[in-house]
Short mmCIF file of all heavy atoms in Angstrom, two decimals:
data_model
loop_
_atom_site.label_atom_id
_atom_site.label_comp_id
_atom_site.label_asym_id
_atom_site.label_seq_id
_atom_site.Cartn_x
_atom_site.Cartn_y
_atom_site.Cartn_z
N MET A 67 -40.42 -33.79 -81.42
CA MET A 67 -40.68 -33.85 -79.98
C MET A 67 -41.52 -35.09 -79.68
O MET A 67 -42.56 -35.30 -80.29
CB MET A 67 -41.42 -32.59 -79.55
CG MET A 67 -41.81 -32.59 -78.09
SD MET A 67 -42.52 -31.02 -77.62
CE MET A 67 -44.19 -31.22 -78.20
N THR A 68 -41.06 -35.92 -78.77
CA THR A 68 -41.80 -37.13 -78.43
C THR A 68 -42.85 -36.84 -77.38
O THR A 68 -42.79 -35.83 -76.67
CB THR A 68 -40.86 -38.21 -77.87
OG1 THR A 68 -40.33 -37.74 -76.64
CG2 THR A 68 -39.73 -38.49 -78.83
N THR A 69 -43.81 -37.73 -77.29
CA THR A 69 -44.85 -37.58 -76.27
C THR A 69 -44.24 -37.64 -74.88
O THR A 69 -44.63 -36.91 -73.98
CB THR A 69 -45.91 -38.70 -76.42
OG1 THR A 69 -46.45 -38.63 -77.72
CG2 THR A 69 -47.02 -38.52 -75.39
N GLU A 70 -43.23 -38.50 -74.75
CA GLU A 70 -42.58 -38.62 -73.45
C GLU A 70 -41.93 -37.30 -73.04
O GLU A 70 -42.05 -36.86 -71.90
CB GLU A 70 -41.54 -39.72 -73.49
CG GLU A 70 -40.88 -39.98 -72.14
CD GLU A 70 -39.77 -41.00 -72.23
OE1 GLU A 70 -39.58 -41.58 -73.33
OE2 GLU A 70 -39.09 -41.22 -71.23
N ALA A 71 -41.26 -36.67 -74.00
CA ALA A 71 -40.62 -35.39 -73.70
C ALA A 71 -41.66 -34.35 -73.31
O ALA A 71 -41.45 -33.56 -72.39
CB ALA A 71 -39.82 -34.91 -74.91
N PHE A 72 -42.77 -34.37 -73.99
CA PHE A 72 -43.81 -33.39 -73.67
C PHE A 72 -44.34 -33.60 -72.27
O PHE A 72 -44.56 -32.65 -71.53
CB PHE A 72 -44.95 -33.50 -74.69
CG PHE A 72 -45.97 -32.42 -74.53
CD1 PHE A 72 -45.75 -31.15 -75.03
CD2 PHE A 72 -47.14 -32.68 -73.84
CE1 PHE A 72 -46.69 -30.16 -74.87
CE2 PHE A 72 -48.09 -31.68 -73.68
CZ PHE A 72 -47.86 -30.42 -74.19
N SER A 73 -44.53 -34.84 -71.88
CA SER A 73 -45.10 -35.12 -70.55
C SER A 73 -44.15 -34.69 -69.44
O SER A 73 -44.58 -34.42 -68.33
CB SER A 73 -45.43 -36.61 -70.42
OG SER A 73 -44.24 -37.37 -70.40
N ARG A 74 -42.85 -34.65 -69.79
CA ARG A 74 -41.89 -34.23 -68.76
C ARG A 74 -41.62 -32.74 -68.81
O ARG A 74 -40.81 -32.24 -68.06
CB ARG A 74 -40.57 -35.00 -68.94
CG ARG A 74 -40.67 -36.45 -68.51
CD ARG A 74 -39.32 -37.13 -68.48
NE ARG A 74 -38.88 -37.52 -69.80
CZ ARG A 74 -37.88 -36.95 -70.46
NH1 ARG A 74 -37.20 -35.95 -69.92
NH2 ARG A 74 -37.55 -37.36 -71.66
N MET A 75 -42.28 -32.03 -69.70
CA MET A 75 -42.05 -30.60 -69.82
C MET A 75 -42.48 -29.89 -68.54
O MET A 75 -43.54 -30.14 -68.00
CB MET A 75 -42.85 -30.05 -71.01
CG MET A 75 -42.48 -28.64 -71.37
SD MET A 75 -43.42 -28.05 -72.80
CE MET A 75 -42.66 -28.97 -74.12
N GLN A 76 -41.63 -29.01 -68.10
CA GLN A 76 -41.91 -28.34 -66.84
C GLN A 76 -42.96 -27.25 -67.03
O GLN A 76 -43.05 -26.64 -68.08
CB GLN A 76 -40.63 -27.70 -66.31
CG GLN A 76 -39.56 -28.72 -65.98
CD GLN A 76 -38.29 -28.05 -65.52
OE1 GLN A 76 -38.25 -26.84 -65.34
NE2 GLN A 76 -37.26 -28.84 -65.32
N PRO A 77 -43.75 -26.99 -65.99
CA PRO A 77 -44.77 -25.95 -66.06
C PRO A 77 -44.20 -24.60 -66.47
O PRO A 77 -44.84 -23.84 -67.17
CB PRO A 77 -45.33 -25.89 -64.64
CG PRO A 77 -44.98 -27.19 -64.02
CD PRO A 77 -43.74 -27.69 -64.70
N PHE A 78 -42.98 -24.32 -66.02
CA PHE A 78 -42.37 -23.03 -66.37
C PHE A 78 -42.09 -22.93 -67.86
O PHE A 78 -42.18 -21.85 -68.44
CB PHE A 78 -41.07 -22.82 -65.59
CG PHE A 78 -41.27 -22.61 -64.13
CD1 PHE A 78 -40.78 -23.52 -63.21
CD2 PHE A 78 -41.97 -21.50 -63.66
CE1 PHE A 78 -40.97 -23.33 -61.84
CE2 PHE A 78 -42.17 -21.30 -62.31
CZ PHE A 78 -41.66 -22.22 -61.40
N VAL A 79 -41.71 -24.05 -68.45
CA VAL A 79 -41.48 -24.05 -69.89
C VAL A 79 -42.79 -23.78 -70.63
O VAL A 79 -42.85 -22.96 -71.54
CB VAL A 79 -40.87 -25.40 -70.35
CG1 VAL A 79 -40.81 -25.46 -71.87
CG2 VAL A 79 -39.49 -25.60 -69.74
N LEU A 80 -43.84 -24.44 -70.21
CA LEU A 80 -45.14 -24.24 -70.84
C LEU A 80 -45.60 -22.79 -70.70
O LEU A 80 -46.14 -22.19 -71.62
CB LEU A 80 -46.18 -25.16 -70.21
CG LEU A 80 -46.15 -26.60 -70.70
CD1 LEU A 80 -47.09 -27.46 -69.87
CD2 LEU A 80 -46.55 -26.67 -72.17
N LYS A 81 -45.35 -22.23 -69.53
CA LYS A 81 -45.76 -20.84 -69.28
C LYS A 81 -45.01 -19.88 -70.20
O LYS A 81 -45.62 -18.99 -70.81
CB LYS A 81 -45.48 -20.49 -67.81
CG LYS A 81 -46.06 -19.17 -67.38
CD LYS A 81 -45.91 -19.00 -65.88
CE LYS A 81 -46.51 -17.68 -65.43
NZ LYS A 81 -46.37 -17.49 -63.97
N ALA A 82 -43.70 -20.05 -70.30
CA ALA A 82 -42.89 -19.18 -71.15
C ALA A 82 -43.23 -19.39 -72.62
O ALA A 82 -43.34 -18.44 -73.39
CB ALA A 82 -41.41 -19.44 -70.90
N LEU A 83 -43.41 -20.65 -73.01
CA LEU A 83 -43.75 -20.97 -74.39
C LEU A 83 -45.08 -20.32 -74.78
O LEU A 83 -45.21 -19.74 -75.85
CB LEU A 83 -43.83 -22.49 -74.55
CG LEU A 83 -44.24 -23.05 -75.91
CD1 LEU A 83 -43.27 -22.62 -76.99
CD2 LEU A 83 -44.31 -24.57 -75.85
N THR A 84 -46.03 -20.38 -73.88
CA THR A 84 -47.33 -19.77 -74.13
C THR A 84 -47.20 -18.26 -74.29
O THR A 84 -47.82 -17.66 -75.17
CB THR A 84 -48.31 -20.09 -72.98
OG1 THR A 84 -48.46 -21.49 -72.88
CG2 THR A 84 -49.67 -19.46 -73.23
N ALA A 85 -46.36 -17.64 -73.46
CA ALA A 85 -46.16 -16.19 -73.54
C ALA A 85 -45.56 -15.80 -74.88
O ALA A 85 -45.97 -14.82 -75.51
CB ALA A 85 -45.26 -15.73 -72.39
N VAL A 86 -44.57 -16.57 -75.34
CA VAL A 86 -43.93 -16.28 -76.62
C VAL A 86 -44.92 -16.47 -77.76
O VAL A 86 -45.01 -15.65 -78.68
CB VAL A 86 -42.68 -17.18 -76.81
CG1 VAL A 86 -42.14 -17.05 -78.24
CG2 VAL A 86 -41.60 -16.80 -75.80
N LYS A 87 -45.67 -17.55 -77.70
CA LYS A 87 -46.65 -17.83 -78.76
C LYS A 87 -47.72 -16.74 -78.81
O LYS A 87 -48.15 -16.31 -79.88
CB LYS A 87 -47.30 -19.19 -78.53
CG LYS A 87 -46.38 -20.37 -78.74
CD LYS A 87 -46.29 -20.77 -80.20
CE LYS A 87 -45.54 -22.08 -80.35
NZ LYS A 87 -45.42 -22.46 -81.77
N ARG A 88 -48.16 -16.31 -77.64
CA ARG A 88 -49.18 -15.25 -77.60
C ARG A 88 -48.66 -13.98 -78.24
O ARG A 88 -49.40 -13.26 -78.91
CB ARG A 88 -49.56 -14.94 -76.14
CG ARG A 88 -50.56 -15.92 -75.57
CD ARG A 88 -51.59 -15.20 -74.70
NE ARG A 88 -52.50 -16.17 -74.09
CZ ARG A 88 -52.32 -16.63 -72.87
NH1 ARG A 88 -51.30 -16.22 -72.13
NH2 ARG A 88 -53.15 -17.51 -72.38
N ARG A 89 -47.39 -13.70 -78.02
CA ARG A 89 -46.82 -12.45 -78.50
C ARG A 89 -46.58 -12.47 -80.00
O ARG A 89 -46.78 -11.47 -80.68
CB ARG A 89 -45.49 -12.19 -77.77
CG ARG A 89 -44.89 -10.83 -78.09
CD ARG A 89 -43.60 -10.59 -77.36
NE ARG A 89 -43.81 -10.41 -75.92
CZ ARG A 89 -42.83 -10.06 -75.08
NH1 ARG A 89 -41.61 -9.89 -75.52
NH2 ARG A 89 -43.07 -9.90 -73.80
N HIS A 90 -46.15 -13.60 -80.52
CA HIS A 90 -45.69 -13.63 -81.91
C HIS A 90 -46.47 -14.55 -82.84
O HIS A 90 -46.29 -14.49 -84.04
CB HIS A 90 -44.22 -14.05 -81.96
CG HIS A 90 -43.31 -13.11 -81.23
ND1 HIS A 90 -43.02 -11.85 -81.71
CD2 HIS A 90 -42.65 -13.23 -80.05
CE1 HIS A 90 -42.19 -11.25 -80.86
NE2 HIS A 90 -41.96 -12.06 -79.86
N CYS A 91 -47.28 -15.40 -82.29
CA CYS A 91 -47.94 -16.41 -83.13
C CYS A 91 -49.47 -16.32 -82.99
O CYS A 91 -50.15 -17.33 -82.79
CB CYS A 91 -47.46 -17.81 -82.76
SG CYS A 91 -45.68 -17.98 -82.86
N ALA A 92 -49.98 -15.11 -83.13
CA ALA A 92 -51.42 -14.92 -83.02
C ALA A 92 -52.12 -15.29 -84.33
O ALA A 92 -51.50 -15.31 -85.39
CB ALA A 92 -51.73 -13.48 -82.66
N ALA A 93 -53.40 -15.56 -84.25
CA ALA A 93 -54.20 -15.81 -85.44
C ALA A 93 -54.20 -14.55 -86.30
O ALA A 93 -54.08 -13.45 -85.77
CB ALA A 93 -55.62 -16.19 -85.02
N PRO A 94 -54.34 -14.62 -87.63
CA PRO A 94 -54.64 -15.84 -88.38
C PRO A 94 -53.41 -16.60 -88.88
O PRO A 94 -53.54 -17.72 -89.35
CB PRO A 94 -55.43 -15.29 -89.58
CG PRO A 94 -54.78 -13.96 -89.83
CD PRO A 94 -54.42 -13.42 -88.47
N ASN A 95 -52.22 -16.01 -88.79
CA ASN A 95 -51.06 -16.66 -89.39
C ASN A 95 -50.34 -17.63 -88.44
O ASN A 95 -49.64 -18.53 -88.88
CB ASN A 95 -50.06 -15.61 -89.87
CG ASN A 95 -50.61 -14.76 -91.00
OD1 ASN A 95 -51.42 -15.25 -91.78
ND2 ASN A 95 -50.21 -13.51 -91.08
N TYR A 96 -50.48 -17.42 -87.14
CA TYR A 96 -49.82 -18.24 -86.13
C TYR A 96 -48.31 -18.26 -86.31
O TYR A 96 -47.65 -19.23 -85.94
CB TYR A 96 -50.38 -19.67 -86.13
CG TYR A 96 -51.86 -19.68 -85.87
CD1 TYR A 96 -52.77 -19.85 -86.91
CD2 TYR A 96 -52.35 -19.46 -84.58
CE1 TYR A 96 -54.14 -19.83 -86.67
CE2 TYR A 96 -53.71 -19.43 -84.33
CZ TYR A 96 -54.60 -19.63 -85.39
OH TYR A 96 -55.94 -19.59 -85.16
N ALA A 97 -47.77 -17.20 -86.90
CA ALA A 97 -46.33 -17.07 -87.09
C ALA A 97 -46.02 -15.61 -87.40
O ALA A 97 -46.86 -14.90 -87.95
CB ALA A 97 -45.86 -17.96 -88.22
N PRO A 98 -44.83 -15.14 -87.04
CA PRO A 98 -44.45 -13.76 -87.37
C PRO A 98 -44.11 -13.61 -88.85
O PRO A 98 -43.77 -14.59 -89.52
CB PRO A 98 -43.22 -13.52 -86.49
CG PRO A 98 -42.64 -14.88 -86.27
CD PRO A 98 -43.80 -15.84 -86.27
N ASP A 99 -44.17 -12.38 -89.35
CA ASP A 99 -43.85 -12.11 -90.76
C ASP A 99 -42.36 -12.28 -91.03
O ASP A 99 -41.95 -12.61 -92.14
CB ASP A 99 -44.27 -10.69 -91.14
CG ASP A 99 -45.78 -10.54 -91.14
OD1 ASP A 99 -46.47 -11.55 -91.39
OD2 ASP A 99 -46.27 -9.42 -90.89
N ALA A 100 -41.55 -12.02 -90.02
CA ALA A 100 -40.10 -12.16 -90.14
C ALA A 100 -39.59 -12.85 -88.88
O ALA A 100 -40.24 -12.79 -87.83
CB ALA A 100 -39.46 -10.79 -90.29
N PRO A 101 -38.45 -13.52 -88.98
CA PRO A 101 -37.90 -14.20 -87.80
C PRO A 101 -37.71 -13.23 -86.64
O PRO A 101 -37.32 -12.08 -86.83
CB PRO A 101 -36.55 -14.73 -88.29
CG PRO A 101 -36.70 -14.85 -89.77
CD PRO A 101 -37.61 -13.71 -90.18
N VAL A 102 -37.99 -13.71 -85.44
CA VAL A 102 -37.90 -12.88 -84.24
C VAL A 102 -36.80 -13.43 -83.32
O VAL A 102 -36.67 -14.64 -83.16
CB VAL A 102 -39.24 -12.90 -83.47
CG1 VAL A 102 -39.10 -12.19 -82.12
CG2 VAL A 102 -40.35 -12.28 -84.30
N ALA A 103 -35.99 -12.53 -82.77
CA ALA A 103 -35.05 -12.90 -81.72
C ALA A 103 -35.20 -11.85 -80.64
O ALA A 103 -34.95 -10.67 -80.86
CB ALA A 103 -33.62 -12.93 -82.25
N ASP A 104 -35.67 -12.27 -79.48
CA ASP A 104 -35.94 -11.31 -78.41
C ASP A 104 -35.77 -12.01 -77.07
O ASP A 104 -35.29 -13.15 -77.02
CB ASP A 104 -37.38 -10.78 -78.58
CG ASP A 104 -37.57 -9.40 -77.96
OD1 ASP A 104 -36.70 -8.96 -77.17
OD2 ASP A 104 -38.60 -8.78 -78.25
N GLN A 105 -36.17 -11.36 -76.02
CA GLN A 105 -36.07 -11.99 -74.71
C GLN A 105 -37.23 -11.56 -73.83
O GLN A 105 -37.80 -10.49 -74.01
CB GLN A 105 -34.74 -11.65 -74.04
CG GLN A 105 -34.51 -10.16 -73.90
CD GLN A 105 -33.13 -9.83 -73.35
OE1 GLN A 105 -32.98 -9.04 -72.44
NE2 GLN A 105 -32.11 -10.47 -73.91
N ILE A 106 -37.59 -12.42 -72.90
CA ILE A 106 -38.59 -12.11 -71.90
C ILE A 106 -38.01 -12.47 -70.54
O ILE A 106 -36.94 -13.10 -70.47
CB ILE A 106 -39.92 -12.89 -72.12
CG1 ILE A 106 -39.67 -14.40 -72.14
CG2 ILE A 106 -40.60 -12.44 -73.41
CD1 ILE A 106 -40.94 -15.23 -72.21
N ALA A 107 -38.69 -12.08 -69.48
CA ALA A 107 -38.25 -12.48 -68.15
C ALA A 107 -38.57 -13.95 -67.96
O ALA A 107 -39.68 -14.39 -68.23
CB ALA A 107 -38.95 -11.63 -67.10
N CYS A 108 -37.60 -14.71 -67.51
CA CYS A 108 -37.81 -16.13 -67.27
C CYS A 108 -38.84 -16.30 -66.14
O CYS A 108 -38.68 -15.72 -65.07
CB CYS A 108 -36.50 -16.78 -66.87
SG CYS A 108 -36.68 -18.51 -66.39
N PRO A 109 -39.90 -17.11 -66.39
CA PRO A 109 -40.92 -17.29 -65.37
C PRO A 109 -40.44 -18.12 -64.18
O PRO A 109 -41.08 -18.14 -63.14
CB PRO A 109 -42.05 -18.00 -66.12
CG PRO A 109 -41.37 -18.70 -67.25
CD PRO A 109 -40.20 -17.82 -67.63
N LYS A 110 -39.31 -18.79 -64.34
CA LYS A 110 -38.81 -19.64 -63.26
C LYS A 110 -37.85 -18.90 -62.34
O LYS A 110 -38.01 -18.91 -61.13
CB LYS A 110 -38.13 -20.89 -63.84
CG LYS A 110 -37.68 -21.88 -62.80
CD LYS A 110 -37.17 -23.15 -63.45
CE LYS A 110 -36.76 -24.17 -62.39
NZ LYS A 110 -36.24 -25.41 -63.00
N CYS A 111 -36.86 -18.23 -62.95
CA CYS A 111 -35.81 -17.60 -62.13
C CYS A 111 -35.81 -16.08 -62.22
O CYS A 111 -35.11 -15.42 -61.46
CB CYS A 111 -34.44 -18.14 -62.53
SG CYS A 111 -33.84 -17.53 -64.11
N GLY A 112 -36.60 -15.52 -63.16
CA GLY A 112 -36.64 -14.06 -63.30
C GLY A 112 -35.50 -13.51 -64.13
O GLY A 112 -35.39 -12.30 -64.29
N GLY A 113 -34.64 -14.38 -64.64
CA GLY A 113 -33.52 -13.95 -65.47
C GLY A 113 -33.94 -13.70 -66.90
O GLY A 113 -35.13 -13.65 -67.22
N ARG A 114 -32.94 -13.56 -67.76
CA ARG A 114 -33.22 -13.34 -69.18
C ARG A 114 -33.47 -14.65 -69.88
O ARG A 114 -32.64 -15.57 -69.83
CB ARG A 114 -32.04 -12.63 -69.84
CG ARG A 114 -32.09 -11.12 -69.70
CD ARG A 114 -30.93 -10.48 -70.45
NE ARG A 114 -29.65 -10.95 -69.94
CZ ARG A 114 -28.72 -11.54 -70.68
NH1 ARG A 114 -28.91 -11.74 -71.96
NH2 ARG A 114 -27.59 -11.93 -70.15
N LEU A 115 -34.60 -14.74 -70.55
CA LEU A 115 -34.91 -15.91 -71.36
C LEU A 115 -34.88 -15.48 -72.82
O LEU A 115 -35.77 -14.78 -73.29
CB LEU A 115 -36.29 -16.46 -70.98
CG LEU A 115 -36.75 -17.71 -71.73
CD1 LEU A 115 -35.86 -18.90 -71.41
CD2 LEU A 115 -38.20 -18.04 -71.37
N ASN A 116 -33.81 -15.84 -73.51
CA ASN A 116 -33.66 -15.48 -74.92
C ASN A 116 -34.42 -16.46 -75.77
O ASN A 116 -34.35 -17.67 -75.55
CB ASN A 116 -32.18 -15.50 -75.30
CG ASN A 116 -31.38 -14.47 -74.54
OD1 ASN A 116 -31.58 -13.27 -74.70
ND2 ASN A 116 -30.49 -14.93 -73.67
N TYR A 117 -35.14 -15.94 -76.76
CA TYR A 117 -35.91 -16.84 -77.61
C TYR A 117 -35.88 -16.39 -79.06
O TYR A 117 -35.55 -15.24 -79.36
CB TYR A 117 -37.36 -16.93 -77.12
CG TYR A 117 -38.15 -15.66 -77.27
CD1 TYR A 117 -38.82 -15.34 -78.47
CD2 TYR A 117 -38.24 -14.77 -76.22
CE1 TYR A 117 -39.55 -14.17 -78.60
CE2 TYR A 117 -38.95 -13.58 -76.34
CZ TYR A 117 -39.61 -13.29 -77.53
OH TYR A 117 -40.31 -12.13 -77.67
N THR A 118 -36.17 -17.33 -79.93
CA THR A 118 -36.31 -17.02 -81.36
C THR A 118 -37.61 -17.64 -81.85
O THR A 118 -38.10 -18.64 -81.31
CB THR A 118 -35.15 -17.62 -82.18
OG1 THR A 118 -35.11 -19.03 -81.99
CG2 THR A 118 -33.82 -17.01 -81.76
N VAL A 119 -38.19 -17.00 -82.86
CA VAL A 119 -39.38 -17.53 -83.52
C VAL A 119 -39.13 -17.45 -85.01
O VAL A 119 -38.74 -16.40 -85.53
CB VAL A 119 -40.64 -16.69 -83.19
CG1 VAL A 119 -41.89 -17.39 -83.72
CG2 VAL A 119 -40.76 -16.44 -81.69
N ASP A 120 -39.31 -18.57 -85.71
CA ASP A 120 -39.12 -18.52 -87.16
C ASP A 120 -40.46 -18.23 -87.84
O ASP A 120 -41.50 -18.12 -87.19
CB ASP A 120 -38.44 -19.78 -87.68
CG ASP A 120 -39.32 -21.03 -87.60
OD1 ASP A 120 -40.55 -20.89 -87.48
OD2 ASP A 120 -38.77 -22.13 -87.69
N THR A 121 -40.41 -18.10 -89.16
CA THR A 121 -41.61 -17.68 -89.89
C THR A 121 -42.63 -18.80 -90.04
O THR A 121 -43.69 -18.59 -90.62
CB THR A 121 -41.23 -17.14 -91.28
OG1 THR A 121 -40.44 -18.11 -91.96
CG2 THR A 121 -40.44 -15.85 -91.15
N LYS A 122 -42.31 -19.98 -89.53
CA LYS A 122 -43.30 -21.05 -89.46
C LYS A 122 -43.96 -21.10 -88.08
O LYS A 122 -44.80 -21.96 -87.81
CB LYS A 122 -42.65 -22.40 -89.76
CG LYS A 122 -42.16 -22.55 -91.19
CD LYS A 122 -41.69 -23.98 -91.43
CE LYS A 122 -41.27 -24.19 -92.88
NZ LYS A 122 -39.98 -23.54 -93.16
N GLY A 123 -43.51 -20.20 -87.17
CA GLY A 123 -44.09 -20.17 -85.83
C GLY A 123 -43.43 -21.13 -84.87
O GLY A 123 -43.94 -21.35 -83.77
N MET A 124 -42.29 -21.71 -85.27
CA MET A 124 -41.56 -22.59 -84.36
C MET A 124 -40.68 -21.75 -83.45
O MET A 124 -39.95 -20.87 -83.91
CB MET A 124 -40.70 -23.58 -85.15
CG MET A 124 -41.52 -24.51 -86.04
SD MET A 124 -42.61 -25.60 -85.11
CE MET A 124 -41.45 -26.89 -84.66
N THR A 125 -40.72 -22.03 -82.16
CA THR A 125 -39.97 -21.22 -81.21
C THR A 125 -38.90 -22.07 -80.51
O THR A 125 -39.06 -23.27 -80.31
CB THR A 125 -40.90 -20.65 -80.13
OG1 THR A 125 -41.41 -21.72 -79.32
CG2 THR A 125 -42.07 -19.90 -80.76
N SER A 126 -37.80 -21.39 -80.18
CA SER A 126 -36.75 -22.00 -79.38
C SER A 126 -36.34 -20.97 -78.34
O SER A 126 -36.40 -19.77 -78.58
CB SER A 126 -35.53 -22.35 -80.24
OG SER A 126 -35.88 -23.27 -81.25
N ALA A 127 -35.94 -21.45 -77.16
CA ALA A 127 -35.57 -20.51 -76.11
C ALA A 127 -34.58 -21.14 -75.15
O ALA A 127 -34.52 -22.36 -75.01
CB ALA A 127 -36.81 -20.06 -75.34
N ARG A 128 -33.81 -20.28 -74.52
CA ARG A 128 -32.88 -20.74 -73.51
C ARG A 128 -32.68 -19.64 -72.48
O ARG A 128 -32.35 -18.50 -72.81
CB ARG A 128 -31.53 -21.09 -74.14
CG ARG A 128 -30.49 -21.57 -73.14
CD ARG A 128 -29.16 -21.78 -73.81
NE ARG A 128 -29.20 -22.91 -74.72
CZ ARG A 128 -28.88 -24.17 -74.35
NH1 ARG A 128 -28.50 -24.41 -73.14
NH2 ARG A 128 -28.95 -25.13 -75.23
N CYS A 129 -32.89 -19.98 -71.23
CA CYS A 129 -32.67 -19.03 -70.15
C CYS A 129 -31.17 -18.78 -69.98
O CYS A 129 -30.35 -19.68 -70.21
CB CYS A 129 -33.27 -19.56 -68.85
SG CYS A 129 -33.04 -18.45 -67.45
N ALA A 130 -30.81 -17.57 -69.55
CA ALA A 130 -29.41 -17.24 -69.32
C ALA A 130 -28.84 -18.02 -68.14
O ALA A 130 -27.63 -18.19 -68.03
CB ALA A 130 -29.26 -15.73 -69.08
N SER A 131 -29.69 -18.52 -67.27
CA SER A 131 -29.24 -19.31 -66.13
C SER A 131 -29.04 -20.77 -66.54
O SER A 131 -29.92 -21.36 -67.19
CB SER A 131 -30.27 -19.25 -65.00
OG SER A 131 -30.48 -17.92 -64.58
N ALA A 132 -27.92 -21.34 -66.18
CA ALA A 132 -27.65 -22.74 -66.54
C ALA A 132 -28.67 -23.67 -65.92
O ALA A 132 -29.07 -23.50 -64.77
CB ALA A 132 -26.25 -23.11 -66.10
N GLY A 133 -29.12 -24.63 -66.72
CA GLY A 133 -30.03 -25.64 -66.19
C GLY A 133 -31.44 -25.15 -65.94
O GLY A 133 -32.21 -25.82 -65.27
N CYS A 134 -31.78 -24.01 -66.49
CA CYS A 134 -33.12 -23.44 -66.28
C CYS A 134 -33.98 -23.72 -67.50
O CYS A 134 -33.78 -24.70 -68.21
CB CYS A 134 -33.00 -21.97 -65.94
SG CYS A 134 -34.49 -21.28 -65.20
N VAL A 135 -34.93 -22.86 -67.73
CA VAL A 135 -35.90 -23.10 -68.81
C VAL A 135 -35.23 -23.09 -70.18
O VAL A 135 -34.44 -22.20 -70.48
CB VAL A 135 -36.98 -22.00 -68.78
CG1 VAL A 135 -37.91 -22.09 -69.99
CG2 VAL A 135 -37.80 -22.11 -67.49
N LYS A 136 -35.52 -24.11 -70.98
CA LYS A 136 -35.11 -24.09 -72.37
C LYS A 136 -35.98 -25.05 -73.16
O LYS A 136 -36.54 -26.00 -72.62
CB LYS A 136 -33.63 -24.46 -72.52
CG LYS A 136 -33.31 -25.89 -72.17
CD LYS A 136 -31.86 -26.20 -72.49
CE LYS A 136 -31.53 -27.63 -72.08
NZ LYS A 136 -30.14 -27.98 -72.35
N TRP A 137 -36.11 -24.73 -74.46
CA TRP A 137 -36.78 -25.67 -75.36
C TRP A 137 -36.31 -25.36 -76.77
O TRP A 137 -35.67 -24.33 -77.00
CB TRP A 137 -38.30 -25.54 -75.25
CG TRP A 137 -38.89 -24.28 -75.81
CD1 TRP A 137 -39.20 -24.04 -77.13
CD2 TRP A 137 -39.26 -23.11 -75.10
NE1 TRP A 137 -39.73 -22.78 -77.26
CE2 TRP A 137 -39.78 -22.19 -76.03
CE3 TRP A 137 -39.20 -22.75 -73.75
CZ2 TRP A 137 -40.24 -20.93 -75.67
CZ3 TRP A 137 -39.65 -21.48 -73.39
CH2 TRP A 137 -40.16 -20.60 -74.34
N SER A 138 -36.59 -26.25 -77.69
CA SER A 138 -36.22 -26.00 -79.07
C SER A 138 -37.33 -26.47 -80.01
O SER A 138 -37.94 -27.52 -79.80
CB SER A 138 -34.90 -26.69 -79.41
OG SER A 138 -35.04 -28.08 -79.27
N LEU A 139 -37.57 -25.65 -81.01
CA LEU A 139 -38.49 -25.98 -82.12
C LEU A 139 -39.83 -26.51 -81.63
O LEU A 139 -40.23 -27.63 -81.92
CB LEU A 139 -37.83 -26.97 -83.07
CG LEU A 139 -36.59 -26.42 -83.78
CD1 LEU A 139 -35.99 -27.47 -84.70
CD2 LEU A 139 -36.92 -25.16 -84.58
N GLN A 140 -40.53 -25.67 -80.92
CA GLN A 140 -41.88 -26.00 -80.49
C GLN A 140 -42.82 -24.85 -80.79
O GLN A 140 -42.39 -23.75 -81.01
CB GLN A 140 -41.92 -26.31 -78.98
CG GLN A 140 -41.23 -27.64 -78.69
CD GLN A 140 -41.17 -27.93 -77.22
OE1 GLN A 140 -42.10 -27.60 -76.49
NE2 GLN A 140 -40.10 -28.55 -76.79
ZN1 ZN B 385 -34.52 -19.04 -65.79
#
């Protein structure tokens, strides 16, 4: 992820990313014991935001709505 990409990250992405990290990447391991695939309500459109978390704590997500919140490996 480049610095430029981060600066253009939308507030909704940061909000959803924070929610996922809080749920699955808490101290002390900052990563789940097993890979996670789940969904939360999209903070932007209220739709389904499907996400995955690997055992290194890297998360990827994509909203069910086209052109909405998504990110990979953050
Ligand atoms: Zn959405």
Side-chain angles (χ1 to χ4, degrees):
M67 177 174 81
T68 65
T69 302
E70 184 184 355
F72 187 80
S73 68
R74 286 189 281 110
M75 191 179 287
Q76 297 177 6
F78 291 116
V79 173
L80 281 172
K81 189 172 181 180
L83 177 60
T84 300
V86 171
K87 291 277 189 181
R88 278 220 184 96
R89 186 179 290 186
H90 299 289
C91 305
N95 295 330
Y96 302 102
D99 292 332
V102 173
D104 205 346
Q105 57 185 227
I106 57 174
C108 174
K110 185 173 182 181
C111 73
R114 274 183 300 123
L115 181 65
N116 297 295
Y117 67 87
T118 59
V119 188
D120 70 18
T121 53
K122 293 187 177 73
M124 298 296 278
T125 67
S126 300
R128 179 185 292 269
C129 180
S131 301
C134 197
V135 173
K136 67 174 178 180
W137 71 83
S138 62
L139 296 180
Q140 289 177 35

